[in-house]
Amino acid sequence: MAPLKLYIGNKNYSSWSFRPWLAMTAAGIPFEEALIRFDFPAGNPDIKAVSESGKVPLLQNGKVKVWESLAIIEYVAELYPDHSIWPGGMEKRALARAVSAEMASSFSALRSHCPMNFRQQPIELKVDDATKADIARINHIWTSQIAAHGGPFLFGDFSAADAMYAPVVNRFDIYGLTPSPEAEIYMENMKSHFAWKAWETEALKEPWVVPEDEI
Ligand SMILES: N[C@@H](CCC(=O)N[C@@H](CS)C(=O)NCC(=O)O)C(=O)O
């Protein structure tokens, strides 16, 4: 059987690619990766050639193609039910899916004003009220789930919910937006995870610059 192939964008900037890559790597799921750069003025035609949505990430399993980061995570969780991509226990799993779906559908102010960027030197970024509201809501999600489940990650052990919030950890970190001491501890746990470090190491080596994602 051909291995799973995950198409991703630039590791330095592609927050949506980061999510399934991290969930799969953390869970020990074997896959090949194919990186398609998106630092082309009119978009890279190679992305459209692979992905009908014109976006990465996209997972290929033989003839099956799955796009959308959360749908990829769900598909892989079904393919590898013993790899604990989602937390154990129906209630915890439902909560993990709820906060993950909220991440995928919300926080547009934070996402548009504060791009993920591993090569960014830390700065103190001034943010507008909409971004402050996104930060406060994320802080509530993080602190309430960690308090309920005891950490070190949102639902105890690392899960897909942490992968979904990983790009936010980078944003809070590089733009000086860390909202609470509890969030700071969580962010340190995330940045120490082996899968985070593996992605970060590759991101820091990339030479490509996407001007729209630079502050
Ligand atoms: N909702 C999608 C978002 C995917 C997305 O926006 N991907 C960006 C990269 S992070 C992309 O492919 N952009 C292509 C381009 O700008 O040409 C998901 O969850 O996968």
Side-chain angles (χ1 to χ4, degrees):
M1 195 174 87
L4 295 177
K5 188 166 184 176
L6 183 66
Y7 291 89
I8 59 172
N10 308 26
K11 283 187 169 140
N12 189 52
Y13 303 108
S14 185
S15 58
W16 293 110
S17 303
F18 188 25
R19 294 172 164 106
W21 189 100
L22 198 59
M24 291 169 73
T25 303
I29 289 164
F31 66 99
E32 277 176 6
E33 72 175 49
L35 190 151
I36 310 178
R37 290 165 51 188
F38 57 57
D39 50 334
F40 285 51
N44 185 341
D46 289 351
I47 296 183
K48 285 209 172 69
V50 167
S51 169
E52 67 174 68
S53 69
K55 293 191 188 309
V56 284
L58 177 136
L59 183 78
Q60 183 155 19
N61 183 18
K63 288 185 184 152
V64 179
K65 282 184 171 182
V66 185
W67 62 98
E68 286 292 321
S69 48
L70 203 43
I72 294 170
I73 289 172
E74 290 289 6
Y75 178 74
V76 174
E78 282 198 51
L79 269 184
Y80 289 91
D82 299 333
H83 281 241
S84 305
I85 285 200
W86 291 108
M90 197 172 154
E91 191 181 317
K92 252 196 201 181
R93 222 167 17 253
L95 286 171
R97 286 193 164 108
V99 299
S100 297
E102 187 172 347
M103 178 68 245
S105 62
S106 313
F107 312 127
S108 57
L110 177 72
R111 287 198 275 113
S112 57
H113 300 314
C114 307
M116 185 179 92
N117 184 346
F118 280 88
R119 295 193 309 257
Q120 170 74 48
Q121 290 304 311
I123 55 169
E124 296 288 319
L125 189 67
K126 291 242 175 300
V127 293
D128 63 9
D129 287 348
T131 306
K132 283 183 190 154
D134 286 350
I135 294 168
R137 171 65 190 146
I138 292 169
N139 186 52
H140 177 74
I141 290 171
W142 288 2
T143 54
S144 59
Q145 296 309 331
I146 289 165
H149 307 296
F153 297 102
L154 295 179
F155 293 90
D157 292 336
F158 189 95
S159 76
D162 300 292
M164 288 302 291
Y165 281 87
V168 172
V169 171
N170 171 264
R171 290 167 158 118
F172 284 0
D173 198 29
I174 60 176
Y175 300 121
L177 303 173
T178 305
S180 66
E182 295 92 330
E184 191 167 348
I185 294 168
Y186 172 62
M187 287 163 61
E188 288 308 316
N189 293 335
M190 288 288 282
K191 291 190 292 170
S192 311
H193 194 281
F194 79 92
W196 174 291
K197 285 187 172 299
W199 175 279
E200 179 181 51
T201 301
E202 296 296 315
L204 293 175
K205 285 189 216 155
E206 286 179 356
W208 315 300
V209 174
V210 178
E212 308 85 72
D213 285 343
E214 292 289 334
I215 291 285

